[in-house]
Amino acid sequence: MDSDIALTDLQGQARVYEESNGDLRRRFRQPSVTQREFTLPPADRGKDAWLFLAGCFMVEALIWGFPFSFGVFQEYYTTHEPFSARPAGIAVIGTSSTGIMYLSCPVLFAAFKRWPHVRRHCTLVGLAINTVAVVAASFATQVSHLILTQGVLYAIGGVMIYCPTILFLDEWFIRRKGLAFGMMWAGTGVSGVVLPFVMSALLTRFGFRTTLRAYAVALIILALPLLYFIRPRLPLAQTSLQRRLDLSFLRTSAFWIPESANVAQGLGYFIPSIYLPTYATSQGMTGTEGTLMLALVNMGVVFGAIWVGALTDRMHVSSVTALCSLGAVLAVFVFWGLAVSLPMLCLFSLLYGLTAGGYSATYTGIVQLVKGQDTGADTGMVFGFLAVGRGIGALASGPLSEALLHFQTWKGEAKLGYGTGYGLLIVFTGITAAAGGSSFIARRIGLN
């Protein structure tokens, strides 16, 4: 009897042992929920990375393409009521939009470093602000109303979408970072090819009020679904460690030398995009031909951003900025300065977009250069202060270009483009383009 009971106990213990052993084997064979949860998608490749980059491209096209197509609105506002009677300040609308977006970047990057959990939510809030800004602009009756809505308010919404995108892209692409940023920024160029013709046709047929409201609807329909793909690659737990905000890179020559060149280039970079349609009209060309020039600048930006981004992955960044500056100087002084005909101006537009338009794609190389001198530098903050440099140029170029144009220097005295009244603008744009390559000279003489 006792032996039977003992045997039964042994069999029961054996079953328990086998079941527990089986549980252990199953546990070792199957990854835990935590393991599965933290399996990261690969960087630089794979479906998730390319879907993210496609979303970035389209959002970039929709958010930045609008202010970069402002030349069409500039021509319309200058020649149509209720703004043509007092056109002063119209150029400020476009430059305030781009300038404030650039200038706000460090503030947003610092906030996202402190509160990283709000990054994705900000993209939705930014899109809502963009939409409200465009609708509000459609009710404007004065230039100042347009500056506040189409300029300032639109910029606030745009930067709330743009900054999280930059931070997420830095996670998704590592070895191909320059190429990825170039492809994203090419979205502005693609949009800038299409939007000027669309906006010009809508403005001519329906006026600015209906055009702006139609674009607001397009923003919601096209951008809202794409925000789903704009998400981080790294889990928040791995990116939310609190660290002191380190701005020591601001004391390095690796930052200030390229930043100075960046500010100088930005002072003149936006001038052709603002004035080409108006310039074309002043030379007896049609509005469509002026729109074509703006579209060609943006077409050049598409290819310029990609090839400059790819070069930045392979060459020293100062050499890449020198190539951009050399091409832009040639385009401005030869193809714009010596031409008043459509073919030469089209060549200028395409070459200028290809070279000057790719300049901002060198930022990834500048970030790496800065990190080489200051290993604690934060990517977002370095990028943010580079954007500030571009923003200073964008904001200043509006009133500065209006002042230069007011003098009508060399009009009727010089020949070709220099004698059209736009001569001082042409020379100023060329000089600032040349200054954009100054970091190459600094490197050659050992300053950096």
Side-chain angles (χ1 to χ4, degrees):
M1 185 71 144
D2 290 340
S3 62
D4 289 342
I5 292 172
L7 181 60
T8 303
D9 287 343
L10 285 171
Q11 289 172 340
Q13 290 172 13
R15 280 196 301 271
V16 170
Y17 176 77
E18 287 177 4
E19 287 173 4
S20 62
N21 235 17
D23 284 344
L24 283 172
R25 284 195 297 269
R26 282 192 295 273
R27 286 179 186 175
F28 279 112
R29 279 199 304 265
Q30 296 179 359
S32 67
V33 173
T34 305
Q35 286 174 312
R36 287 196 300 269
E37 187 179 344
F38 285 94
T39 299
L40 297 177
D44 295 298
R45 59 187 175 84
K47 179 192 71 174
D48 292 329
W50 293 113
L51 281 175
F52 169 81
L53 187 56
C56 291
F57 176 90
M58 289 301 298
V59 168
E60 176 87 5
L62 291 167
I63 300 304
W64 284 94
F66 183 63
F68 271 77
S69 301
F70 180 73
V72 175
F73 284 93
Q74 162 102 356
E75 197 276 333
Y76 180 88
Y77 291 151
T78 305
T79 55
H80 290 76
E81 293 292 343
F83 312 111
S84 59
R86 294 184 177 180
I90 288 178
V92 178
I93 302 166
T95 56
S96 64
S97 179
T98 52
I100 291 172
M101 273 201 265
Y102 286 127
L103 286 171
S104 304
C105 282
V107 178
L108 267 291
F109 284 130
F112 292 148
K113 192 174 178 65
R114 177 67 179 83
W115 300 288
H117 58 281
V118 305
R119 294 178 299 177
R120 273 197 94 181
H121 303 302
C122 266
T123 59
L124 288 169
V125 175
L127 180 60
I129 294 173
N130 273 150
T131 306
V132 170
V134 176
V135 171
S138 71
F139 293 97
T141 57
Q142 300 175 22
V143 172
S144 59
H145 298 163
L146 291 173
I147 293 173
L148 290 173
T149 53
Q150 191 173 348
V152 177
L153 189 59
Y154 184 90
I156 293 171
V159 77
M160 292 178 73
I161 301 174
Y162 182 60
C163 287
T165 304
I166 294 295
L167 293 175
F168 297 158
L169 189 61
D170 191 55
E171 297 176 7
W172 279 100
F173 289 86
I174 299 170
R175 289 183 295 104
R176 299 177 175 179
K177 201 181 296 290
L179 177 62
F181 272 95
M183 291 178 70
M184 181 187 76
W185 285 324
T188 301
V190 171
S191 179
V193 173
V194 178
L195 273 183
F197 291 104
V198 174
M199 293 300 184
S200 180
L202 290 174
L203 286 169
T204 301
R205 185 168 181 181
F206 300 108
F208 82 99
R209 300 189 192 280
T210 301
T211 299
L212 289 173
R213 290 164 194 170
Y215 193 72
V217 174
L219 272 177
I220 296 173
I221 294 174
L222 297 176
L224 188 58
L226 294 169
L227 293 183
Y228 171 78
F229 299 103
I230 309 299
R231 57 176 184 258
R233 172 177 168 265
L234 302 177
L236 192 58
Q238 297 185 23
T239 59
S240 58
L241 297 175
Q242 295 296 321
R243 291 189 302 162
R244 184 177 61 86
L245 192 62
D246 185 3
L247 299 179
S248 59
F249 69 88
L250 292 175
R251 298 192 294 269
T252 65
S253 60
F255 173 77
W256 278 112
I257 290 175
E259 174 72 321
S260 301
N262 178 48
V263 173
Q265 198 262 359
L267 285 171
Y269 169 67
F270 299 94
I271 288 175
S273 296
I274 297 170
Y275 285 101
L276 271 176
T278 310
Y279 179 81
T281 304
S282 72
Q283 300 309 303
M285 300 176 198
T286 65
T288 302
E289 289 169 336
T291 302
L292 172 64
M293 290 178 210
L294 185 59
L296 286 173
V297 170
N298 290 313
M299 182 183 291
V301 171
V302 175
F303 299 102
I306 294 172
W307 80 266
V308 170
L311 278 180
T312 304
D313 287 334
R314 294 169 172 81
M315 296 173 59
H316 194 279
V317 65
S318 64
S319 300
V320 182
T321 57
L323 286 173
C324 292
S325 298
L326 182 62
V329 168
L330 176 67
V332 172
F333 284 119
V334 177
F335 292 102
W336 191 8
L338 300 181
V340 290
S341 64
L342 180 62
M344 285 286 281
L345 288 171
C346 287
L347 282 174
F348 158 71
S349 301
L350 193 58
L351 183 58
Y352 186 78
L354 187 66
T355 53
Y359 192 91
S360 58
T362 63
Y363 287 180
T364 56
I366 297 173
V367 169
Q368 296 308 312
L369 190 66
V370 172
K371 283 188 167 186
Q373 255 188 38
D374 183 356
T375 55
D378 179 75
T379 297
M381 294 309 299
V382 178
F383 187 94
F385 278 95
L386 288 172
V388 165
R390 177 54 63 101
I392 291 171
L395 276 178
S397 64
L400 184 59
S401 61
E402 284 192 339
L404 292 174
L405 192 60
H406 176 74
F407 289 114
Q408 295 287 293
T409 308
W410 307 318
K411 186 174 184 179
E413 299 175 6
K415 295 186 180 297
L416 302 173
Y418 296 107
T420 60
Y422 288 78
L424 202 54
L425 274 183
I426 295 171
V427 171
F428 179 77
T429 304
I431 291 172
T432 55
S438 57
S439 60
F440 176 78
I441 298 173
R443 177 174 167 240
R444 297 295 293 179
I445 62 177
L447 293 179
N448 186 14

